[in-house]
Amino acid sequence: MSRTEPGWVRRLTAQCLEHRHLVVLTCLATLTAVSVDLAAPLLAKAAIDDATGVGHGGPGLTVIVTALVAAAVIRFGCQFARRMTAGRLSIVVQNTLRLKLFDTLLRLDGAAQGHIRTGQIVSRSISDLQIIQGLLAQVPLALGSAVQLIAAIAIMMYLSPLLTGVALVTVPLVAVVVVRVRRRMFAATWSAQQAAADVAGHVEETVTGVRVVKGFGQEERAVDTLVDLAGRLYRLRLRAARINAILAPTLSAIPQLGTVLVIAVGGYLTLHGSITAGTFLAFATYVASMTALARMVTGLLVTAQLARAAVDRVYEVADHPPDPALASDAPAPGGPLGLRLSSVRVELGGRTVLEEITLDIAPGECVAVVGPPGSGKSTLADIVCRYHRPVAGSVAVGAGEHYVDVGDLAADALHSAVSVAFDDPFLFSDTIAANIAVGVPDAAEADIRAAADRAFATEFIDELPHGFDTVVGERGLTLSGGQRQRIALARAMFARPRIL
């Protein structure tokens, strides 16, 4: 992420504010719960002072006990509402980010798609987003804790400025620990999440290419590679755990030192009549809540560092610019279409693949392009369907005098006019019928069979146990290579393209 982009906290906040009603409800429930938590020690103080005869003109024990019971009921309702709204908000934002990530991947141009690492994408769309969801679920509680902390300090200052000063002695120590450890924690968590993505990538490649691995006897090599990657992940996770092992106990222990000091000084002041027993009880309650808040802050800091790395990794993908050709909106010419390439030059990875290619194919013509491996045959199909774009020349579709550059066509117009049966056929883990009629769940059986007939695939499909309803498995590996090619060709035929 570049330095000119908004910080990760700002970006995540903006994403949450897209659901303002949930944010408002969560904040209201949180602030109400905080108000109750702040009032409870004061009610306890009034009860003790009334019972010991120190307080005069108070509301009385009956009223105080009734108020404490009512406060407990209100606090329960607010905590329930806060958890429900905060949980829903975190899940909604997580889902929004996942859809944004997926939408970005589908809108990348061919060059960017060629650099996609499946393991990294899987890790970011699952593990990283799960960490972000966990942080967002904690944030309302943490914000409430911050408000409660500030208000508690103000009340403590009112009750006893001296004891407040004693209680806050440890705050600078906490700040120093947080500042010193935060950067190390972020670096450790980022590296560990990258390593986890590498493990996921290796597993995905090995499972996808299991036939190659077994066919060439590479099982031990695949396992050894996994052991090395998992070992690196283990070391990086252990590094993060060591940092957390220092941070968490330290941030928990320091406030407890303040509690000890408050008990010692407060007990002394109570014995000498400087403060009442009720005041000492209320003060001790506030200090104890501050200790619990410190533990909560510790957990939030750890989660925030994980989430910071996760947010950066998610937006690193989501911020990738979409294919500029998607902004085109020209319609395709009507009627049968021809194809015209004029002085086309294509570069891939800095290497010229096609140069000065001129080709004019009339509507209805069937043309075969032959050449050695790497000569650019598949690249010709890629530039026609706009998967790659030429650096010079033009690729146009049309007939007669009316031709339109494919770069100017709207995406829907291009896809309805042009279909490609790639040399590496990909099938989804679904039925044969669903693979042929991809994206058309209510397609007529007759249309599906007609497409299979044109691809000469009907005969072997009918011989399968469930015919067109046969599930082909991941990437269609339950079928032979030729059968996969036929189904991929039937899929292209089903779209009824004017250029194939």
Side-chain angles (χ1 to χ4, degrees), residues 177-231:
V177 171
V178 170
V179 170
R180 289 178 63 89
V181 176
R182 184 176 63 87
R183 291 185 180 275
R184 292 171 57 202
M185 191 69 182
F186 173 72
T189 53
W190 174 276
S191 300
Q193 285 166 249
Q194 288 287 99
D198 291 338
V199 172
H202 175 69
V203 171
E204 191 274 337
E205 287 183 351
T206 303
V207 172
T208 303
V210 64
R211 290 186 174 184
V212 176
V213 173
K214 294 178 68 68
F216 288 87
Q218 295 298 303
E219 293 92 340
E220 289 188 10
R221 182 194 64 81
V223 172
D224 290 342
T225 302
L226 179 61
V227 168
D228 292 340
L229 292 173

Side-chain angles (χ1 to χ4, degrees), residues 244-258:
N244 187 34
I246 296 172
L247 178 65
T250 303
L251 290 183
S252 296
I254 291 176
Q256 290 178 354
L257 294 176

Side-chain angles (χ1 to χ4, degrees), residues 84-153:
M84 286 294 294
T85 54
R88 183 175 178 182
L89 177 64
S90 64
I91 292 172
V92 168
V93 171
Q94 179 194 40
N95 186 59
T96 301
L97 288 174
R98 181 176 287 119
L99 292 177
K100 185 175 183 178
L101 194 68
F102 191 62
D103 183 66
T104 299
L105 292 175
L106 294 179
R107 292 175 178 270
L108 295 177
D109 57 20
Q113 290 180 3
H115 291 90
I116 289 176
R117 295 180 60 193
T118 305
Q120 288 285 344
I121 299 301
V122 170
S123 176
R124 296 179 197 210
S125 62
I126 298 177
S127 301
D128 289 346
L129 288 178
Q130 191 65 37
I131 292 171
I132 294 173
Q133 188 265 333
L135 173 70
L136 293 177
Q138 290 185 33
V139 164
L141 188 61
L143 291 178
S145 299
V147 173
Q148 184 176 344
L149 184 62
I150 295 171
I153 292 174

Side-chain angles (χ1 to χ4, degrees), residues 372-448:
S375 60
K377 303 184 297 298
S378 298
T379 305
L380 275 176
D382 288 341
I383 62 174
V384 172
C385 65
R386 211 164 61 189
Y387 186 74
H388 290 298
R389 305 198 69 177
V391 296
S394 65
V395 180
V397 296
E401 300 299 323
H402 185 204
Y403 275 81
V404 179
D405 193 295
V406 295
D408 297 330
L409 291 175
D412 290 343
L414 175 65
H415 298 152
S416 64
V418 180
S419 283
V420 179
F422 296 99
D423 53 1
D424 180 21
F426 178 90
L427 299 183
F428 296 96
S429 181
D430 206 334
T431 64
I432 291 177
N435 272 283
I436 293 176
V438 63
V440 188
D442 55 348
E445 183 179 347
D447 293 337
I448 296 174

Side-chain angles (χ1 to χ4, degrees), residues 286-311:
Y286 283 126
V287 172
S289 69
M290 289 175 63
T291 303
L293 294 177
R295 293 195 188 97
M296 189 179 304
V297 169
T298 300
L300 183 66
L301 283 173
V302 174
T303 306
Q305 292 308 308
L306 288 169
R308 178 188 173 190
V311 171

Side-chain angles (χ1 to χ4, degrees), residues 20-78:
R20 292 182 184 274
H21 65 291
L22 288 176
V23 174
V24 170
L25 290 174
T26 302
C27 290
L28 286 175
T30 300
L31 293 176
T32 305
V34 167
S35 300
V36 172
D37 288 339
L38 290 171
L42 294 178
L43 291 172
K45 171 186 177 302
I48 295 296
D49 289 344
D50 185 78
T52 56
V54 176
H56 300 285
L61 281 176
T62 303
V63 175
I64 294 173
V65 170
T66 303
L68 285 171
V69 172
V73 174
I74 294 172
R75 187 172 185 273
F76 170 81
C78 290

